[in-house]
């Protein structure tokens, strides 16, 4: 019988993030506490979002609303890398970058975890910004998924291509 396998990836569902951003923008435009603050949230290129408002606390409040919308859409907050509010003229701005992919150090950590604590006969291979885990037994693969989920990494983890 051939080996069963799955991939460990860290991907962003850009459509869900875009929907959350649109919902946040609509809520900002209708909420009373954001009236007259010039609060706005918008894309800055492919992997960045910028929040601007007239005060630091308003910009932080917009970030909180955005995080709530992401949680409702099942997008992990670990994909966000938000900066501190910074003054920019009359505005206060927060830059958010979206983290995608598993770095080689993080992939090595997961591989070491699987090798040390995982079931015997499970192989993990680093393939670019993802990890392929294979084994003869599907039960072992499910054990590895449970093991990886229990760890608290600083990046979002998804499992794909389970075969």
């Amino acid at each position: 019988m051939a080996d069963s396998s799955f991939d460990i990836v860290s991907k962003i569902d850009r459509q869900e993030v875009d929907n959350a951003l649109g919902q946040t923008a609509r809520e900002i435009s209708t909420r009373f506490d954001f009236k007259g603050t010039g609060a706005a949230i918008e894309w800055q290129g492919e992997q960045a979002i910028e929040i601007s408002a007239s005060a630091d606390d308003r910009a932080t409040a917009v970030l909180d609303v955005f995080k709530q919308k992401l949680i409702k859409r099942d997008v992990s907050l670990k994909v966000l890398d938000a900066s501190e509010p910074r003054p920019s003229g009359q505005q206060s701005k927060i830059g958010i970058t979206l983290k995608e992919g598993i770095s080689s150090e993080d992939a090595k950590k997961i591989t070491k975890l699987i090798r040390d604590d995982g079931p015997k006969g499970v192989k993990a291979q680093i393939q670019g910004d993802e990890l392929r885990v294979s084994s003869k037994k599907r039960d072992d693969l499910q054990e590895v998924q449970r093991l990886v989920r229990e760890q608290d990494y600083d990046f979002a983890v998804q499992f794909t291509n389970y075969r």
Side-chain angles (χ1 to χ4, degrees):
M1 186 177 121
D3 282 2
S4 299
S5 68
F6 69 88
D7 295 336
I8 300 175
V9 297
S10 179
K11 297 254 188 268
I12 299 170
D13 188 349
R14 185 167 163 78
Q15 186 61 52
E16 290 294 337
V17 174
D18 194 40
N19 291 342
L21 190 131
Q23 285 181 334
T24 304
R26 273 194 304 281
E27 185 167 325
I28 291 168
S29 67
T30 59
R31 263 180 50 179
F32 179 76
D33 58 336
F34 288 116
K35 292 277 189 239
T37 61
I41 182 168
E42 56 197 17
W43 284 104
Q44 295 293 112
E46 284 293 307
Q47 297 291 323
I49 296 169
E50 187 173 75
I51 295 172
S52 60
S54 59
D56 286 356
D57 64 326
R58 292 293 87 207
T60 307
V62 173
L63 179 60
D64 290 341
V65 170
F66 183 55
K67 285 180 178 179
Q68 289 170 357
K69 300 299 180 190
L70 287 174
I71 290 169
K72 282 184 182 174
R73 298 190 150 276
D74 287 332
V75 176
S76 173
L77 295 183
K78 293 179 179 179
V79 301
L80 298 181
D81 187 16
S83 68
E84 291 296 315
R86 66 185 189 285
S88 175
Q90 296 291 319
Q91 297 274 303
S92 179
K93 296 189 177 196
I94 298 177
I96 302 171
T97 54
L98 301 174
K99 296 185 287 186
E100 191 169 32
I102 300 175
S103 68
S104 59
E105 301 95 43
D106 292 333
K108 287 176 186 171
K109 283 183 201 172
I110 295 174
T111 306
K112 183 173 175 16
L113 171 79
I114 293 169
R115 211 177 33 245
D116 295 346
D117 299 341
K120 299 285 181 248
V122 176
K123 296 185 287 288
Q125 303 165 314
I126 300 172
Q127 297 179 335
D129 62 349
E130 57 185 44
L131 216 69
R132 164 93 21 106
V133 180
S134 57
S135 173
K136 294 207 180 301
K137 297 183 196 160
R138 286 187 169 214
D139 291 346
D140 289 348
L141 293 180
Q142 290 174 340
E143 177 66 23
V144 168
Q145 285 185 353
R146 186 191 59 75
L147 191 66
V148 171
R149 271 195 198 100
E150 286 175 352
Q151 301 299 312
D152 186 30
Y153 294 112
D154 59 345
F155 56 92
V157 175
Q158 293 98 24
F159 304 104
T160 59
N161 295 337
Y162 191 79
R163 37 181 113 104

